[in-house]
Amino acid sequence: MAESNRIPSAAATSAVAKVENTAELSFGTEFDDAEINILSNAQVAVILQMSAQSALIRDEELDDVYKKTQKYVERFNNMKNPEKDNQELVSELDNLHGALETFRKEKEDGEEMALHGFEVAALMNLVATDTMVEEAQALIPSLSRFPESAVDEILDLIRSTMIRIVSYGGS
């Protein structure tokens, strides 16, 4: 059989393709760009809501994909309060996102550990006010590289933001 007609073996194919594994924070080549910003459902919900309001003002109709996406993120958005305006929500979510992105813990060997963008968005999507360390690590296995005290500190950041968002105290 001619060399050009050979089908590549599975081993050769897998060597070329990057293996995706969220537990090991290994993602496809699309995520190799350091500038990529992974958003939480809450952030996407606010962006879509603001965009929909803008379209309404311009008397534009939203297409079905937009409406379905908006319905999906609203369904899974655990950080919402209809009594707060979008700017307050954006500010709270941006502050939380920034705090999680800059969160650092030093390992015993002195190496610094930080949250990956995937972990930041996953934490913002999955965490409720009563989420415990074990549950967070089960849902996001890559967090197990952090000591439990660090994961609890991360969860406290999220809990305090959720409480500020969902409880209306007026500005």
Side-chain angles (χ1 to χ4, degrees), residues 25 114-124 140 142-143 145-146:
L25 299 176
L115 290 169
H116 185 278
F118 162 78
E119 293 169 316
V120 169
L123 281 161
M124 290 176 71
I140 309 166
S142 59
L143 292 177
R145 71 187 197 285
F146 287 94

Side-chain angles (χ1 to χ4, degrees), residues 63-158:
D63 66 27
D64 286 341
V65 173
Y66 188 102
K67 290 176 185 175
K68 286 178 183 179
T69 303
Q70 190 172 25
K71 185 177 178 181
Y72 174 86
V73 295
E74 279 300 327
R75 179 176 174 206
F76 293 103
N77 177 9
N78 57 0
M79 295 193 198
K80 58 186 168 187
N81 183 337
E83 295 179 12
K84 289 195 175 192
D85 68 29
N86 285 335
Q87 196 53 49
E88 286 178 284
L89 293 173
V90 167
S91 178
E92 289 284 0
L93 293 170
D94 284 350
N95 288 340
L96 175 59
H97 197 268
L100 293 173
E101 283 186 327
T102 58
F103 181 85
R104 302 286 183 266
K105 271 299 172 208
E106 197 171 294
K107 291 168 48 175
E108 288 179 15
D109 64 4
E111 183 184 343
E112 196 172 69
M113 294 189 308
L115 290 169
H116 185 278
F118 162 78
E119 293 169 316
V120 169
L123 281 161
M124 290 176 71
N125 288 342
L126 299 174
V127 172
T129 54
D130 61 351
T131 301
M132 303 304 290
V133 171
E134 299 78 23
E135 183 182 6
Q137 289 176 326
L139 294 170
I140 309 166
S142 59
L143 292 177
S144 63
R145 71 187 197 285
F146 287 94
E148 283 191 15
S149 62
V151 176
D152 198 40
E153 194 177 330
I154 293 165
L155 295 175
D156 281 343
L157 277 169
I158 297 168

Side-chain angles (χ1 to χ4, degrees), residues 41-51 74 86 89-90 93:
N41 286 332
Q43 291 169 301
V44 174
V46 171
I47 291 167
L48 291 178
Q49 184 180 30
M50 291 169 63
S51 175
E74 279 300 327
N86 285 335
L89 293 173
V90 167
L93 293 170

Side-chain angles (χ1 to χ4, degrees), residues 149-168:
S149 62
V151 176
D152 198 40
E153 194 177 330
I154 293 165
L155 295 175
D156 281 343
L157 277 169
I158 297 168
R159 283 184 205 112
S160 63
T161 300
M162 286 184 74
I163 290 167
R164 279 195 309 275
I165 288 175
V166 298
S167 63
Y168 185 70

